[in-house]
Amino acid sequence: APLVPRPPQPRFNLARRAIQANPQLLPSLLEQLALTHPNLLSQIDANQGEFERLIHEPLTAEEEAAVEAELVASSAGFGGMNLPDNSGRTVIQLNDREQQQIERLENLVGPMGLSRNAVLEAWLACERNEELAANYLLNNLEDFLQEAEEDPDSTGRH
């Protein structure tokens, strides 16, 4: 069966946004998909061209809003409220277990020059999987550091 032109799930759009920002994330996400949703991976394999088109298509304003709502909803389910900060960005509150995961990831890659934002982005894109996020951050360290040099507000230390 062909892929649905626009899967309505905000998580798919979150993955799209993450992959568009960091294309090296795609293999890790596909690997995770093989473990969690093998039928969907088979469908992707059978329709690779369509998947590539969908994954690289820019998100609409409506899809971006749905992604932000998903981030708010998913973190709210883990004991925190999400409030816009003064810059209009969403602040994600973490429970103790999640905070410990983020701190361990920061301790791993922070001394190498990566910011909390880079850690959070990888952790969320890897569906809150600490091990996948660590692998992704370490495997793409040079790309993150280069991106930080080009745009200090993105993933580099401030």
Side-chain angles (χ1 to χ4, degrees), residues 13-23 25 29 121 125 136:
N13 290 329
L14 175 62
R16 279 176 57 203
R17 185 167 79 174
I19 290 165
Q20 289 170 9
N22 296 303
L25 184 58
L29 288 177
E121 179 182 314
Y136 173 70

Coordinates of all heavy atoms in Angstrom, one line a residue, residues 13-23 25 29 121 125 136:
N13 N 5.6 14.6 12.1 CA 6.1 15.9 11.8 C 7.2 16.3 12.6 O 8.1 17.1 12.2 CB 4.9 16.9 11.9 CG 3.9 16.7 10.7 OD1 4.3 16.3 9.7 ND2 2.6 16.9 11.0
L14 N 7.3 15.9 13.9 CA 8.4 16.2 14.8 C 9.7 15.5 14.2 O 10.7 16.1 14.1 CB 8.2 15.7 16.2 CG 9.3 15.8 17.1 CD1 9.8 17.2 17.4 CD2 9.0 15.1 18.5
A15 N 9.5 14.3 13.7 CA 10.6 13.5 13.1 C 11.0 14.3 11.8 O 12.2 14.4 11.5 CB 10.2 12.1 12.8
R16 N 10.1 14.7 11.0 CA 10.4 15.4 9.8 C 11.2 16.7 10.1 O 12.2 16.9 9.4 CB 9.1 15.9 9.1 CG 8.4 14.8 8.2 CD 7.1 15.3 7.6 NE 7.2 16.5 6.8 CZ 6.2 17.3 6.6 NH1 5.0 17.0 7.1 NH2 6.4 18.3 5.8
R17 N 10.8 17.4 11.1 CA 11.5 18.7 11.4 C 12.9 18.3 11.9 O 13.9 19.0 11.5 CB 10.7 19.4 12.5 CG 11.3 20.8 12.8 CD 10.4 21.7 13.6 NE 10.5 21.3 15.0 CZ 9.8 21.9 16.0 NH1 9.1 23.0 15.7 NH2 9.9 21.5 17.2
A18 N 13.0 17.3 12.7 CA 14.4 16.9 13.2 C 15.3 16.5 12.1 O 16.4 16.9 12.0 CB 14.2 15.8 14.3
I19 N 14.7 15.7 11.2 CA 15.5 15.2 10.1 C 15.9 16.3 9.1 O 17.0 16.3 8.6 CB 14.8 14.0 9.3 CG1 14.8 12.8 10.3 CG2 15.5 13.7 8.0 CD1 13.8 11.8 9.8
Q20 N 15.0 17.2 8.9 CA 15.3 18.4 8.0 C 16.4 19.2 8.6 O 17.3 19.7 7.9 CB 14.1 19.2 7.8 CG 13.1 18.5 6.8 CD 11.8 19.2 6.7 OE1 11.5 20.3 7.2 NE2 10.8 18.5 6.1
A21 N 16.4 19.3 10.0 CA 17.5 20.1 10.6 C 18.8 19.3 10.7 O 19.9 19.9 10.7 CB 17.0 20.5 12.0
N22 N 18.7 18.0 10.9 CA 19.9 17.2 11.1 C 19.7 15.9 10.3 O 19.2 14.9 10.8 CB 20.1 16.8 12.5 CG 20.4 18.0 13.4 OD1 21.3 18.7 13.1 ND2 19.6 18.3 14.4
P23 N 19.9 15.9 9.0 CA 19.7 14.7 8.1 C 20.4 13.4 8.6 O 19.9 12.3 8.4 CB 20.2 15.1 6.8 CG 20.2 16.6 6.8 CD 20.5 17.0 8.2
L25 N 20.2 12.2 11.4 CA 19.3 11.5 12.4 C 18.5 10.4 11.7 O 18.1 9.5 12.4 CB 18.4 12.6 13.0 CG 17.5 12.1 14.1 CD1 18.3 11.5 15.2 CD2 16.7 13.3 14.6
L29 N 16.6 7.0 13.5 CA 15.2 7.0 13.6 C 14.6 5.7 12.9 O 13.7 5.1 13.4 CB 14.5 8.2 13.0 CG 14.7 9.5 13.9 CD1 14.1 10.7 13.2 CD2 14.1 9.3 15.3
E121 N 17.2 18.4 21.9 CA 16.7 18.2 20.6 C 17.0 16.7 20.2 O 16.1 16.1 19.7 CB 17.5 19.1 19.6 CG 17.1 18.9 18.1 CD 17.9 19.8 17.2 OE1 18.0 21.0 17.5 OE2 18.4 19.2 16.2
A125 N 14.0 14.0 19.7 CA 13.9 13.4 18.3 C 14.0 11.8 18.4 O 13.5 11.1 17.6 CB 15.0 13.9 17.4
Y136 N 23.5 9.1 18.9 CA 23.3 10.1 17.8 C 24.2 11.4 18.1 O 24.8 11.8 17.1 CB 21.8 10.6 17.8 CG 21.6 11.7 16.8 CD1 21.7 11.6 15.5 CD2 21.4 13.0 17.3 CE1 21.6 12.6 14.6 CE2 21.2 14.1 16.4 CZ 21.3 13.9 15.1 OH 21.2 14.9 14.2

